[in-house]
Amino acid sequence: MFHCRSDNFLYRTDACTGGIRFSSGSQNGISQQYALLAFLFALSGAGAGVASFAIKLNERAPHLFFVCFSILVGIFLFLSAPTLFPFSFKQAWPLIVVFSGLVLSPAVWRKYKMLKIKFIAPSLAFIALGVCPLVFSFRMLPLKSSQFILNWRPLLLLLAGVFLISLTLGIKTMRRAAGRFLILPAVFLCSCATQPAVPHDKPNSPAPTVSKIPDLPATPPQTSGSPAHPTAESAVPPPVPSGGAAANIAAEIRALVYSGIPSSLLKALNLIRAQNLSNGEFGRTMNAVIVYMLQSLYPGVQGQLPASSPPQNALYTKILLGADKGIYTAPPPNGDYLECVLPFLALIKDAGSATEDSARLLASLPDLERAVALYPNGVAPRYFIGFVYEKTGRFTEARAAYSEALALSKECYPAALGLARLLTNEGQYQEAAQSLSDSLMVFPGNMDIKRQLAITYYEMEDWPRADSALAEIVQKNNKNGDFILMYARTLIEREQFARAQSQLDAYALINAHNPHYLFLQARVQAEGFHNRDAALNYLRVFRNAPAIEGEALAYMVKLLLESDKTEEQAEGKRILAELLVKENPSLAVIELAAADAIRREAWGEARPYVRRLLDERRSSADLANAYTVEHGLNNNASALAYARELFQKEPSNTEAALVYIAALIDTGRTAEAASLIDARLSAAPAGAVKSSYYYLRSRTRSGDESRLNDLRSSLFEHPRNLQSLIAMFEYYYRQGDRRALYYLKQALAIDPDNIRLKRYEKEYAN
């Protein structure tokens, strides 16, 4: 019993150490090179496996294939030692071919999460090519392989032909050309296997005819609300039997195209490419439809688009060719979804051109509404409906249609652009900016969205945000004159005149005679370089130009009225009178007339102008002018109401705070005014602002000494504070002090046309 256990132990020891002797080449009949080769395969497989797992095998199907194949081959070579594997390498080498077929399926499963027929067929072919030699290598049949082939040649040819026919009919994703290529040799093999041999001098029998292999169907997806309407006129290839994988792929592609959003269209392109449909009629047609939709609706979407070569006899192709020429191809009565949607691309292409016709746009509405009924989840027809309503002046319906398209998908940024245009025209700038910002989050680099957002910021006079938005646009395209002028105007409003001048110099190369360009040049000269004469020269170039008559001429009148020259003041008054007698003068002219009346202290004349500005615009400047007019008319209660509204509108604005404090003092609410002054005075910047606060605080003081101290502090902060100078003059004038003359001269030097000071000037002259 002891010997039996000893022998068993020795047998196991030999079996376990056989691999070690094999690896060192000490096993009889095995060389060290052979052992090294086996271990190289095993180790390379293990190393590749570790590397693949290190990168988590994300879409690394080739890595997984070579890992599994190398491991299996390495194990096989290692086990080829005589003590571990009963067959020699010469007999078992076909197992390597079997291994290649076995590891192909896991690799495909890893990449596609499913087994695909076009990979199962090669896998089975490799396994069969390996198993067949093994049958003869392991002596399972009493025949040699050469003798078997000679005896069973007809059966082998028949099986090969059947296999090729099955491959052609079974793989729905193969191209039509490939199917025709395989069917001919398949029929030839079958005929050779089933017909007897014929002498060489007899003609061969004619080959059997073969029916046309159908391509993928083009029927629309069977979803709720989108019934299929295949017609003989539409671009549909002959359908395949229902229930196949090809029909599901075609339905998926059509559903993606019907949705009409950029991500779905790009996904459909990738699916056509992945399924090798690009050369079939269905794939070529859908490629052309997708590419045209992306280029027409979403030109800002970045993506690699394939070359478009649709079949010329397809109805979709005829629609697209007509759209490219601006021709609207009316859909047939039972047309499908795309036949109702694609013709409208012709009207989008002509948008804004001289050939645009409202009646033509409205005539397309029934087709678009039918497309919505066929597929309610498509964004394209809803956007097109909004486009029709916007172009024909039905803005309420257009806004509703654009909102419906955006509710289906935020990716439909043309609808966001249209909605922003409508909101901007209605003065709802914040809503327009929010809609565009949402679209910009989906398409961060889209320049169409950025351009419309810049226009919105410009129209709402949000100059800081308009500055950054317009700077990016002008940097990317320095040939767009409209945006260059908008950017120059924005810089002028921000008092960055040197940068504005550089933009205007760039625009001068485009059109140096543009009235808006000349107007902006005048503003830079007057406000930036304080060159009134140069500004007037620019403005006189287009004195009678109607393009921007209100704004430009009002600015010209402003410069003339502020001039020191009597003749220029007279010219300004004459032009202002001409502008006021015109029917419905612009707000710029009304604002200038109000400012001129306020400067002359003609409060009754200024009041109707200010009221019109409040009714139509009601800006902060208008509220400030309204306070000044009511204060001049001694209507302190009305003045306080306007001042409070201004302060509530802009609580952080220093000018608004100063106006509100002055109104509180005028109505006798000095305690409230003093507390507000004390809260702001310590944080006020030195100079004119702090000087104004000291002046207002002097008005809240009851004692002369404290009042004089505040006035002196005001003049210390800003010696040219006109109100403080007038207050000092009036105090000393009441006291009969000769120092009053000093302060009067200082005030007249600053404002020689001041009506209040003119009266005292005559008195001291006498």
Side-chain angles (χ1 to χ4, degrees):
M1 186 174 192
F2 175 79
H3 293 289
C4 292
R5 290 181 179 177
S6 176
D7 293 340
N8 189 22
F9 174 77
L10 292 174
Y11 175 77
R12 293 181 181 179
T13 303
D14 289 339
C16 294
T17 58
I20 299 175
R21 296 196 305 272
F22 170 75
S23 65
S24 61
S26 61
Q27 185 72 28
N28 293 333
I30 301 175
S31 65
Q32 292 184 358
Q33 292 81 0
Y34 186 90
L36 179 61
L37 180 63
F39 268 105
L40 283 177
F41 271 101
L43 292 176
S44 63
V50 172
S52 298
F53 282 112
I55 59 176
K56 300 182 180 180
L57 292 179
N58 290 332
E59 299 298 331
R60 307 298 189 196
H63 289 189
L64 183 60
F65 175 86
F66 288 112
V67 166
C68 298
F69 180 77
S70 300
I71 291 175
L72 290 177
V73 172
I75 293 174
F76 164 69
L77 295 177
F78 185 80
L79 295 178
S80 295
T83 58
L84 302 178
F85 195 73
F87 299 98
S88 64
F89 179 81
K90 182 179 180 181
Q91 292 177 297
W93 68 266
L95 284 174
I96 297 178
V97 184
V98 176
F99 293 158
S100 64
L102 291 175
V103 300
L104 183 59
S105 296
V108 173
W109 180 272
R110 174 61 189 172
K111 182 173 183 179
Y112 297 101
K113 307 302 181 184
M114 62 181 294
L115 293 178
K116 291 184 173 288
I117 297 177
K118 66 178 181 180
F119 292 105
I120 292 177
S123 177
L124 295 177
F126 277 116
I127 294 174
L129 290 175
V131 170
C132 290
L134 283 177
V135 172
F136 299 100
S137 179
F138 290 165
R139 304 296 183 184
M140 295 181 183
L141 293 178
L143 294 175
K144 293 184 178 181
S145 58
S146 59
Q147 185 179 1
F148 176 81
I149 293 173
L150 290 175
N151 294 341
W152 295 90
R153 177 180 59 81
L155 178 61
L156 294 176
L157 292 175
L158 180 61
L159 292 175
V162 171
F163 174 77
L164 291 177
I165 293 175
S166 301
L167 189 65
T168 304
L169 297 178
I171 302 177
K172 306 300 182 183
T173 60
M174 292 191 63
R175 307 169 189 172
R176 179 175 299 227
R180 292 174 178 172
F181 177 78
L182 291 175
I183 195 66
L184 295 178
V187 173
F188 174 76
L189 291 174
C190 292
S191 63
C192 292
T194 55
Q195 293 183 11
V198 294
H200 293 288
D201 56 349
K202 289 186 177 182
N204 292 330
S205 300
T209 58
V210 182
S211 60
K212 180 181 179 182
I213 302 300
D215 207 340
L216 288 173
T219 56
Q222 300 294 327
T223 58
S224 60
S226 58
H229 292 279
T231 65
E233 300 175 355
S234 60
V236 289
V240 294
S242 61
N248 295 333
I249 294 172
E252 181 180 359
I253 292 173
R254 278 189 169 266
L256 293 171
V257 176
Y258 283 13
S259 69
I261 59 177
S263 61
S264 296
L265 295 175
L266 293 175
K267 185 177 180 181
L269 283 179
N270 293 333
L271 188 58
I272 292 172
R273 188 183 301 114
Q275 298 296 329
N276 296 325
L277 304 178
S278 301
N279 290 335
E281 290 188 12
F282 174 77
R284 291 165 58 198
T285 303
M286 299 311 292
N287 266 343
V289 170
I290 295 169
V291 170
Y292 202 93
M293 290 183 68
L294 286 172
Q295 292 176 344
S296 301
L297 297 180
Y298 309 104
V301 174
Q302 301 295 327
Q304 185 177 0
L305 302 180
S308 179
S309 58
Q312 296 301 312
N313 59 347
L315 181 57
Y316 291 170
T317 305
K318 297 177 182 177
I319 294 175
L320 296 180
L321 291 176
D324 202 40
K325 300 176 182 178
I327 301 173
Y328 184 89
T329 305
N334 57 346
D336 64 10
Y337 173 82
L338 288 178
E339 292 171 359
C340 296
V341 170
L342 293 179
F344 195 83
L345 296 176
L347 305 183
I348 288 287
K349 185 180 180 62
D350 274 351
S353 67
T355 60
E356 186 182 351
D357 185 9
S358 297
R360 188 183 180 202
L361 289 170
L362 292 172
S364 66
L365 280 179
D367 299 333
L368 297 174
E369 292 170 353
R370 183 151 59 109
V372 173
L374 289 173
Y375 193 75
N377 294 329
V379 299
R382 298 182 189 275
Y383 163 65
F384 292 158
I385 291 173
F387 181 85
V388 171
Y389 286 142
E390 181 186 2
K391 292 297 182 181
T392 54
R394 299 166 62 177
F395 300 125
T396 303
E397 293 92 335
R399 182 172 176 177
Y402 286 146
S403 299
E404 290 176 2
L406 288 174
L408 290 175
S409 175
K410 295 293 185 182
E411 292 188 42
C412 186
Y413 73 82
L417 296 177
L419 183 61
R421 288 193 299 268
L422 296 175
L423 293 173
T424 301
N425 293 335
E426 295 172 3
Q428 302 182 33
Y429 302 115
Q430 295 295 341
E431 293 82 354
Q434 184 61 46
S435 176
L436 293 171
S437 298
D438 293 342
S439 298
L440 200 59
M441 293 179 65
V442 182
F443 301 99
N446 191 291
M447 293 306 299
D448 293 333
I449 303 175
K450 290 184 177 181
R451 279 190 286 267
Q452 186 60 45
L453 188 59
I455 293 173
T456 302
Y457 289 149
Y458 181 84
E459 293 293 336
M460 67 189 298
E461 298 184 356
D462 189 344
W463 305 122
R465 287 198 285 183
D467 187 349
S468 59
L470 290 168
E472 181 180 1
I473 295 172
V474 172
Q475 184 179 5
K476 289 184 178 294
N477 182 10
N478 58 1
K479 301 298 183 183
N480 192 322
D482 293 337
F483 282 98
I484 292 176
L485 292 179
M486 290 170 60
Y487 188 34
R489 162 78 186 279
T490 301
L491 294 174
I492 291 173
E493 298 296 341
R494 302 196 70 191
E495 298 183 356
Q496 299 181 16
F497 300 105
R499 293 176 59 194
Q501 184 62 58
S502 65
Q503 296 298 322
L504 293 174
D505 292 341
Y507 184 84
L509 301 176
I510 300 174
N511 184 6
H513 302 286
N514 183 285
H516 194 53
Y517 158 77
L518 296 172
F519 169 60
L520 294 178
Q521 280 282 22
R523 288 196 59 184
V524 171
Q525 294 297 323
E527 301 172 29
F529 305 142
H530 305 289
N531 191 342
R532 188 189 306 271
D533 294 336
L536 288 173
N537 289 335
Y538 278 114
L539 293 171
R540 286 192 175 99
V541 171
F542 59 101
R543 166 72 177 82
N544 298 318
I548 49 174
E549 177 180 290
E551 186 178 13
L553 289 183
Y555 193 78
M556 181 177 179
V557 171
K558 177 177 178 293
L559 294 180
L560 292 172
L561 292 176
E562 294 175 353
S563 174
D564 297 333
K565 301 176 181 179
T566 306
E567 60 275 12
E568 289 186 351
Q569 292 180 1
E571 182 184 2
K573 292 178 181 179
R574 179 176 54 81
I575 297 175
L576 178 60
E578 293 176 1
L579 296 175
L580 287 173
V581 297
K582 290 185 176 181
E583 183 180 358
N584 194 21
S586 66
L587 290 181
V589 174
I590 297 298
E591 183 179 12
L592 183 61
D596 179 62
I598 290 173
R599 183 169 51 252
R600 293 184 286 107
E601 297 186 3
W603 311 118
E605 181 183 345
R607 197 174 198 179
Y609 297 138
V610 171
R611 286 183 175 177
R612 181 184 168 186
L613 292 173
L614 291 174
D615 293 338
E616 298 187 21
R617 189 172 61 184
R618 209 173 189 84
S619 65
S620 299
D622 300 334
L623 292 172
N625 287 334
Y627 159 77
T628 304
V629 170
E630 296 300 327
H631 174 69
L633 294 172
N634 293 322
N635 296 327
N636 293 330
S638 298
L640 178 60
Y642 288 125
R644 182 183 294 110
E645 181 181 353
L646 175 61
F647 182 66
Q648 291 175 350
K649 185 177 182 180
E650 298 184 16
S652 60
N653 189 299
T654 302
E655 293 297 328
L658 293 174
V659 168
Y660 181 54
I661 294 171
L664 290 174
I665 297 173
D666 292 336
T667 54
R669 301 165 65 174
T670 56
E672 186 178 350
S675 63
L676 191 57
I677 291 172
D678 293 338
R680 290 175 169 263
L681 184 59
S682 59
V689 175
K690 183 166 285 190
S691 174
S692 298
Y693 279 119
Y694 277 125
Y695 164 73
L696 291 174
R697 193 171 70 171
S698 71
R699 295 182 59 191
T700 64
R701 302 294 193 183
S702 57
D704 291 342
E705 191 63 30
S706 58
R707 186 181 302 115
L708 286 175
N709 289 335
D710 283 335
L711 289 175
R712 292 188 184 103
S713 298
S714 174
L715 292 174
F716 176 79
E717 292 290 341
H718 184 50
R720 295 177 62 83
N721 188 322
L722 181 62
Q723 293 176 320
S724 296
L725 289 172
I726 294 176
M728 291 290 286
F729 161 73
E730 290 177 344
Y731 173 78
Y732 286 118
Y733 177 79
R734 289 192 300 269
Q735 300 295 327
D737 195 319
R738 293 184 59 84
R739 283 178 288 185
L741 181 58
Y742 168 79
Y743 288 105
L744 176 61
K745 291 180 179 180
Q746 294 291 326
L748 286 172
I750 297 173
D751 188 6
D753 298 327
N754 190 288
I755 297 177
R756 292 170 58 189
L757 299 178
K758 285 285 187 181
R759 183 172 62 252
Y760 294 109
E761 184 182 20
K762 293 180 181 179
E763 180 180 344
Y764 276 93
N766 294 330

